[in-house]
């Protein structure tokens, strides 16, 4: 009798093992692991990035670099999203700003040498590409403008993806409405954007389609991505952390060749 009970127990354990193993397979039979949800650096390769947050002291926002960035999260400003599918960036209208801006940001800045030095490259030498998948999740009140990704040079932003209400634009310097991508953007819609810089030109793509080509020959360039809210307490109410811009980033890939 003991032998029969043992055999039944072994059979039951084997069946349970098969069920558990099957639950870790996709419909195509490919094994999957649980998604890492603790830190943004588990979702995106942030080796050559630092993040600036809308917290800290006046004129001196929080800045996190490598190696601390590997295991850093700051809810709700910079954290893995609730679905564990990407990284959430949130910046309120009353956030701490950098000395040269009146708007707060939760934003990545491109770095070099494993995050130990600021990236700085020329638009006339080599090819520099950033591809990203992003969704705008929330816009601030009154002035509903948020920047999700950009190229910056040594002096100012060169071109950005900027959402104003339902209008998604590519900017060119101070021309904020340079190229209208769509007038009917809906919050939470994920799109793929791409900047390709080579030979003194910037080609900007949206979901694989070329949107505009911008002449640019300056040096000191670097990429940025996240949520740069284009509103503050002077033009958006209420003046509180409940009034914010937010994006989610699902892919971030930079190459230099």
């Amino acid at each position: 009798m003991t032998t029969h009970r043992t055999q039944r127990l072994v059979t039951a354990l084997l069946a349970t093992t098969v069920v558990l193993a099957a639950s870790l397979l996709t419909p195509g039979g490919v094994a999957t692991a649980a998604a890492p949800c603790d830190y943004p650096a588990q979702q995106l390769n942030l080796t050559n990035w630092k993040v600036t947050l809308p917290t800290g002291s006046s004129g001196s926002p929080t800045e996190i670099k490598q190696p601390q960035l590997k295991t850093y999260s700051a809810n709700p400003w910079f954290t893995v999203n609730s679905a564990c599918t990407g990284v959430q960036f949130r910046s309120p209208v009353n956030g701490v700003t950098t000395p040269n801006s009146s708007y707060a940001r939760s934003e990545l800045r491109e770095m070099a040498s494993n995050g130990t030095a600021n990236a700085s490259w020329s638009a006339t030498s080599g090819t520099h590409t950033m591809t990203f998948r992003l969704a705008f999740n929330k816009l601030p009140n009154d002035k509903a403008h948020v920047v999700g990704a950009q190229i910056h040079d040594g002096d100012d932003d060169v071109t950005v993806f900027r959402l104003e209400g339902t209008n998604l634009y590519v900017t060119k310097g101070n021309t904020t409405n340079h190229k209208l991508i769509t007038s009917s953007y809906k919050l939470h819609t994920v799109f793929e954007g791409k900047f390709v810089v080579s030979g003194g030109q910037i080609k900007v793509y949206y979901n694989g389609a070329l949107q505009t080509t911008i002449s640019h020959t300056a040096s000191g360039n670097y990429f940025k991505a996240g949520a740069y809210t284009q509103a503050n307490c002077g033009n958006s109410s209420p003046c509180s952390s409940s009034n914010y811009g937010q994006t989610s980033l699902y892919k971030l890939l930079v190459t230099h060749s």
Side-chain angles (χ1 to χ4, degrees):
M1 294 293 293
T2 301
T3 301
H4 291 311
R5 290 196 188 96
T6 301
Q7 287 176 339
R8 286 198 296 270
L9 178 60
V10 170
T11 300
L13 288 172
L14 286 174
T16 301
T17 300
V18 169
V19 170
L20 289 172
S23 68
L24 296 176
L25 296 178
T26 65
V30 179
T32 60
C37 305
D38 294 328
Y39 311 113
Q42 294 171 309
Q43 292 284 324
L44 304 171
N45 183 353
L46 300 181
T47 301
N48 278 315
W49 295 92
K50 69 177 180 180
V51 70
T52 302
L53 300 175
T55 58
S57 57
S58 180
S60 182
T62 303
E63 188 175 87
I64 306 298
K65 300 179 180 180
Q66 295 290 2
Q68 184 184 359
L69 188 58
K70 291 180 182 178
T71 55
Y72 184 83
S73 180
N75 189 35
W77 318 118
F78 174 66
T79 186
V80 177
N81 65 6
S82 59
C84 192
T85 55
V87 178
Q88 172 182 298
F89 295 81
R90 180 183 296 185
S91 183
V93 298
N94 65 340
V96 176
T97 68
T98 59
N100 297 321
S101 178
S102 59
Y103 302 128
R105 71 189 76 210
S106 175
E107 191 177 42
L108 295 167
R109 194 266 197 216
E110 185 190 6
M111 301 291 283
S113 302
N114 293 319
T116 62
N118 287 344
S120 179
W121 39 266
S122 171
T124 59
S125 177
T127 299
H128 315 277
T129 304
M130 180 171 80
T131 306
F132 60 92
R133 295 186 73 242
L134 179 141
F136 292 91
N137 304 132
K138 189 179 185 302
L139 302 178
N141 299 331
D142 306 317
K143 189 185 178 195
H145 300 179
V146 174
V147 167
Q150 59 175 305
I151 298 177
H152 207 284
D153 65 15
D155 298 317
D156 205 349
D157 57 282
V158 179
T159 180
V160 314
F161 279 80
R162 178 186 179 105
L163 183 63
E164 300 183 2
T166 61
N167 295 327
L168 181 60
Y169 294 99
V170 174
T171 72
K172 178 183 177 182
N174 292 326
T175 305
T176 57
N177 300 156
H178 168 65
K179 175 63 171 70
L180 178 65
I181 297 174
T182 177
S183 60
S184 56
Y185 179 85
K186 294 182 179 179
L187 294 180
H188 308 296
T189 301
V190 181
F191 67 91
E192 182 166 287
K194 182 166 69 172
F195 296 116
V196 181
V197 187
S198 180
Q201 291 187 325
I202 302 172
K203 293 185 181 298
V204 186
Y205 297 83
Y206 173 80
N207 287 339
L210 179 65
Q211 298 297 309
T212 185
T213 300
I214 298 170
S215 296
H216 180 62
T217 58
S219 57
N221 300 287
Y222 52 94
F223 294 116
K224 305 188 82 175
Y228 184 18
T229 298
Q230 303 293 287
N232 56 32
C233 289
N235 53 35
S236 182
S237 180
C239 179
S240 74
S241 59
S242 65
N243 184 11
Y244 58 87
Q246 181 176 300
T247 66
S248 292
L249 195 59
Y250 300 94
K251 174 184 179 179
L252 185 62
L253 176 64
V254 170
T255 60
H256 299 287
S257 59

